[in-house]
Amino acid sequence: MTFYYLDRFRFTLSGGHNWQNHQWNDVLSTLMLRPASWLSWNASSGWSIEQRQYRDLINNVTIFPFDFLTESLSSVSNLNNGQLMMASVNHDLDLLAGQPNQWKVSFNQVLDPASQQFKVRDIMITKELHCWRMIYNYNDYRKEFSFTVSLDSMP
């Protein structure tokens, strides 16, 4: 069952019984709110009928303060004990968007459970030209970097 209003609000509730294997499906709910063109919030969770416990709550807030900047915060929480299991923040910066020579800088931070601090996990710099792309990526978790040059189309 879904209730919605344009692209501003959507609430979905699903669940039921599988008659073939005689098991109940989880009751799942999803809520999406977009009160303004620069702000979006999604949340989803559910209830396991068979296990009699809540499903994890997944939250995502995305902010588009400018055309060239996107900030996104995500979290996963255990509703049964209230514990925050995972959180991350993504930053995307598009430079010269819509131009032939584009740059994109992205970095991802994750919550370190031991120190309860956000730490940089990934850094990616992308340079796009007419028909090729160059990507530099650093992953702090694996302590590795990569440099990729790809051809998008034949000139």
Side-chain angles (χ1 to χ4, degrees):
M1 171 173 50
T2 300
F3 300 99
Y4 67 93
Y5 177 73
L6 302 173
D7 65 343
R8 302 287 184 193
F9 166 81
R10 179 178 304 267
F11 176 74
T12 303
L13 187 64
S14 64
H17 189 268
N18 186 329
W19 299 106
Q20 290 179 338
N21 62 9
H22 303 291
Q23 289 184 339
W24 286 94
N25 295 335
D26 294 349
V27 176
L28 301 175
S29 62
T30 303
L31 175 66
M32 184 278 296
L33 293 175
R34 190 175 185 125
S37 61
W38 54 271
L39 177 64
S40 175
W41 175 53
N42 294 299
S44 64
S45 186
W47 173 257
S48 173
I49 296 172
E50 299 278 333
Q51 298 173 357
R52 298 189 180 275
Q53 66 180 5
Y54 289 105
R55 292 293 183 204
D56 292 342
L57 173 64
I58 302 169
N59 273 303
N60 184 330
V61 175
T62 304
I63 301 171
F64 312 95
F66 305 104
D67 291 341
F68 57 88
L69 180 63
T70 303
E71 301 285 333
S72 180
L73 172 65
S74 300
S75 69
V76 178
S77 303
N78 184 332
L79 291 177
N80 298 303
N81 61 15
Q83 178 184 3
L84 178 65
M85 298 169 51
M86 190 280 300
S88 67
V89 179
N90 296 315
H91 311 274
D92 290 323
L93 178 64
D94 293 319
L95 303 173
L96 302 173
Q99 301 296 318
N101 298 321
Q102 298 177 25
W103 285 89
K104 182 173 184 175
V105 178
S106 302
F107 69 96
N108 179 12
Q109 295 175 291
V110 295
L111 182 67
D112 180 25
S115 66
Q116 291 295 310
Q117 294 180 350
F118 280 96
K119 296 187 177 183
V120 174
R121 174 66 60 95
D122 296 303
I123 300 172
M124 183 170 67
I125 301 171
T126 305
K127 171 70 172 161
E128 293 187 28
L129 285 172
H130 172 66
C131 58
W132 64 277
R133 178 180 311 191
M134 178 178 61
I135 300 172
Y136 171 80
N137 190 21
Y138 174 72
N139 184 303
D140 191 55
Y141 180 71
R142 293 191 220 164
K143 303 294 186 209
E144 69 180 14
F145 71 92
S146 65
F147 182 75
T148 308
V149 177
S150 64
L151 188 62
D152 289 340
S153 63
M154 295 299 286

